Amino acid sequence: MNGVGLKVLGPLEAAVEGRRVELPKGGQRVLLAVLALNAGEVVQLEQLLDHLWGDRLPDRPRGALYSCVSRLRQWLDRHAPGSAGLLATSSGGYVLDLGPGGLDLLRFRALMREAAAAGERRDLAVQSARLREALALWRGPVLANVRSDALQQTEVPRLTEEYLRAVEWRCEVGLALGEHDEMVGELRALTDRYPFRERLWWQLMLALSRSGRRVEALAAYRKVSSQLRTEFGVDPDLELRRLQTAILRDDHSVLSL
């Protein structure tokens, strides 16, 4: 139904005609989050049961699920009268149809596709703009206000990985556009937040090197090396090692890539 919007790229939020509404509580909130993450697709009963209760299933799990769905439909109807078709039963499960503009996750993925198309045209400026627009949709810890062990252990890490890949891609485009001076501060903050994300360290080292800060670039390599050895007992990956060598040798055939 038009007018109903959900946000999952941060704490769960719901709005009707642009006005935020109070979320349902307990199982209905978990159910809403799971259906939103799979908007437009049928979510099977077993998957819903797992996200709602995990190993602690109630005595009559399917009956409890049907009750939960019924209460969620009541919540939808209360806040968005006439939304009867929004949550439908289909093929052994349920599907939530929010429409193309009803979910921030769908908007994020659409912008990522637009960024990819711009990349194919070699239009770096448009690609950077689309990536920035997509990343601006992320508001903080994903679904932090939804209590579900299964969600936090499976869906949230997948979404976080999707976010980080987008971040790395945007940084890649920024470096290609020659924005290395502007990006150093952002990349330092990102490597502090994600200290074992080696691609971000690679980008930080390259940005520093291109900014004429060779000593700092090598110090960044020593820092990530120490962190990886202390935490995992491994050396940096091959790309990081090659970049360190290029910086030591002042190899512009690598540093200017």
Side-chain angles (χ1 to χ4, degrees), residues 21-61:
V21 297
E22 185 178 356
L23 290 169
K25 301 185 185 300
Q28 294 94 64
R29 184 178 299 190
V30 175
L31 180 61
L32 181 63
V34 176
L35 291 169
L37 289 173
N38 298 276
E41 300 177 1
V42 178
V43 185
Q44 298 298 316
L45 300 183
E46 291 75 14
Q47 184 179 351
L48 292 172
L49 290 170
D50 182 53
H51 282 88
L52 281 163
W53 292 291
D55 296 331
R56 300 182 295 277
L57 289 173
D59 291 338
R60 296 178 61 252

Side-chain angles (χ1 to χ4, degrees), residues 24-210:
K25 301 185 185 300
Q28 294 94 64
R29 184 178 299 190
V30 175
L31 180 61
L32 181 63
V34 176
L35 291 169
L37 289 173
N38 298 276
E41 300 177 1
V42 178
V43 185
Q44 298 298 316
L45 300 183
E46 291 75 14
Q47 184 179 351
L48 292 172
L49 290 170
D50 182 53
H51 282 88
L52 281 163
W53 292 291
D55 296 331
R56 300 182 295 277
L57 289 173
D59 291 338
R60 296 178 61 252
R62 294 206 172 200
L65 174 59
Y66 299 150
S67 177
C68 191
V69 170
S70 176
R71 290 195 296 274
L72 181 58
R73 282 181 169 142
Q74 291 170 12
W75 175 86
L76 286 167
D77 190 55
R78 183 168 65 254
H79 290 288
S83 62
L86 193 64
L87 175 53
T89 305
S90 178
S91 305
Y94 296 94
V95 58
L96 186 66
D97 184 8
L98 291 168
L103 183 68
D104 57 353
L105 178 58
L106 295 180
R107 177 63 179 153
F108 168 78
R109 289 172 175 166
L111 287 165
M112 295 297 285
R113 291 192 294 272
E114 290 179 24
E120 290 175 2
R121 301 191 305 270
R122 299 187 179 181
D123 191 339
L124 292 178
V126 171
Q127 188 176 38
S128 178
R130 294 297 171 270
L131 289 168
R132 288 180 182 277
E133 190 177 350
L135 288 167
L137 295 171
W138 294 75
R139 297 169 292 108
V142 175
L143 300 176
N145 57 345
V146 180
R147 289 190 175 184
S148 166
D149 290 343
L151 254 180
Q152 297 298 327
Q153 292 167 9
T154 57
E155 301 298 334
V156 169
R158 278 199 286 266
L159 281 175
T160 302
E161 178 64 23
E162 202 168 340
Y163 164 75
L164 286 170
R165 287 184 181 277
V167 168
E168 291 169 349
W169 188 10
R170 192 195 62 71
C171 291
E172 206 85 27
V173 174
L175 289 170
L177 286 167
E179 298 171 353
H180 36 268
D181 287 318
E182 303 95 309
M183 293 183 61
V184 167
E186 181 180 356
L187 283 164
R188 283 199 188 280
L190 285 166
T191 52
D192 284 345
R193 186 175 179 186
Y194 304 103
F196 307 116
R197 197 82 183 182
E198 290 178 84
R199 190 62 183 173
L200 292 174
W201 283 100
W202 185 94
Q203 292 168 333
L204 173 60
M205 288 169 61
L206 187 61
L208 286 166
S209 179
R210 287 180 177 178

